[in-house]
Amino acid sequence: SAQSWQELRAGTSQQPATHSSGIPELSYQSTEVADFAAYAFMAWMGVCGFLLFRWCRDYVQFVIHENSSECDCDEWNIEWDSVKTESQVSARIPLHVSQNIGPLLCRMPSGYRVIVPYKLWKSVTASQRRLMLRHELAHFQRGDIWWSLVAHLAAIPHWFNPLAWYTVRRLEQGLEWACDDKTRAFGEQRQTEYASTLLAIGEFGSASIPRCATAINGSQLGGRINRLLSNSATQEKSSSRMLVFS
């Protein structure tokens, strides 16, 4: 009847809105959300993959183009062997000389090596060379290359978060500070000499540091020199805060 038909139409008008295909609108919106989440996940994975690829590419390029040669200067080799003996390091870590790379400790496929730049090494004193070698050897003893690698790998999934990369930079700075603190064992005069050595490195400059290496570099030299010349108590507190934060 006409009345029944009107009642049926009224009941139909109270039903949930549907998409033109007959699927409820709520389900259609859920599909849109799921699609957006899938696209966002793909984009996140793409950036993570790109960052990993770039790291691997840089390492391979460094290995291919690294043109240092094993040191043939008896004086420099004796200094290096002496530093290793003093630190009780028996591992074979050859000293290499390059034109514009270093000083740095790096991990090559064949093993660790320390690379130093020829011009800088020739221009500084034997005592300054030994201080720089102690710094690089401290990186080896602490396993800083691997700590830096783990920090970068942990930050990659959070590539969109600037705090993640800030934390990585702070960690790497803390590693440098920890190795700088080794100089305190040689007295105030030696600390002053090490500060002048850092200045010499900053003036010399160097090629970019690969991700497979740790190096004495010119970054934040002012802060590092101030720490070296400050009193021991202040150094200890600042170093502890840095490591805890990292």
Side-chain angles (χ1 to χ4, degrees):
S1 64
Q3 183 176 2
S4 299
W5 173 249
Q6 291 178 355
E7 291 176 354
L8 180 60
R9 291 185 59 188
T12 304
S13 64
Q14 297 175 0
Q15 297 296 321
T18 60
H19 189 255
S20 58
S21 62
I23 303 175
E25 187 69 23
L26 182 60
S27 299
Y28 178 71
Q29 293 176 354
S30 299
T31 302
E32 286 185 327
V33 171
D35 289 343
F36 174 78
Y39 291 139
F41 178 75
M42 291 172 62
W44 174 79
M45 285 291 293
V47 176
C48 290
F50 169 75
L51 293 175
L52 285 172
F53 167 78
R54 189 178 66 175
W55 190 95
C56 295
R57 180 203 61 189
D58 292 347
Y59 177 72
V60 171
Q61 287 181 347
F62 174 77
V63 171
I64 293 174
H65 299 293
E66 194 277 312
N67 58 357
S68 67
S69 58
E70 193 160 354
C71 179
D72 57 2
C73 176
D74 293 338
E75 180 183 0
W76 295 353
N77 283 324
I78 291 173
E79 292 169 356
W80 176 227
D81 291 338
S82 175
V83 168
K84 289 196 298 179
T85 301
E86 291 173 358
S87 302
Q88 298 181 343
V89 174
S90 58
R92 185 182 183 278
I93 309 174
L95 181 67
H96 281 235
V97 179
S98 72
Q99 292 298 320
N100 62 345
I101 297 178
L104 61 80
L105 169 77
C106 65
R107 183 62 167 83
M108 304 294 281
S110 58
Y112 288 98
R113 70 178 55 168
V114 169
I115 303 177
V116 298
Y118 175 78
K119 291 183 180 180
L120 173 67
W121 225 239
K122 190 176 180 180
S123 65
V124 298
T125 66
S127 179
Q128 288 177 315
R129 289 195 294 267
R130 290 169 65 90
L131 286 171
M132 287 186 276
L133 291 173
R134 285 193 183 97
H135 180 101
E136 297 308 324
L137 194 59
H139 281 306
F140 170 78
Q141 292 175 301
R142 292 166 45 82
D144 287 345
I145 286 180
W146 304 112
W147 283 114
S148 180
L149 173 61
V150 169
H152 279 87
L153 292 177
I156 285 178
H158 306 278
W159 55 262
F160 53 87
N161 185 358
L163 288 177
W165 301 110
Y166 175 76
T167 301
V168 171
R169 290 194 299 271
R170 296 286 284 183
L171 171 66
E172 292 183 335
Q173 184 181 6
L175 299 179
E176 292 298 325
W177 284 15
C179 292
D180 285 343
D181 286 345
K182 295 286 187 180
T183 61
R184 284 189 294 169
F186 303 102
E188 183 178 353
Q189 182 179 1
R190 188 57 59 86
Q191 292 182 19
T192 304
E193 185 179 13
Y194 184 57
S196 66
T197 303
L198 290 179
L199 285 176
I201 294 172
E203 293 173 357
F204 171 77
S206 178
S208 59
I209 301 171
R211 291 179 173 84
C212 58
T214 57
I216 302 179
N217 59 78
S219 63
Q220 301 181 356
L221 271 179
R224 293 173 64 187
I225 292 173
N226 286 336
R227 290 187 67 258
L228 287 170
L229 300 180
S230 63
N231 60 72
S232 298
T234 302
Q235 285 190 27
E236 186 68 29
K237 291 179 181 179
S238 61
S239 182
S240 298
R241 286 196 298 265
M242 174 64 71
L243 292 176
V244 168
F245 177 82
S246 299

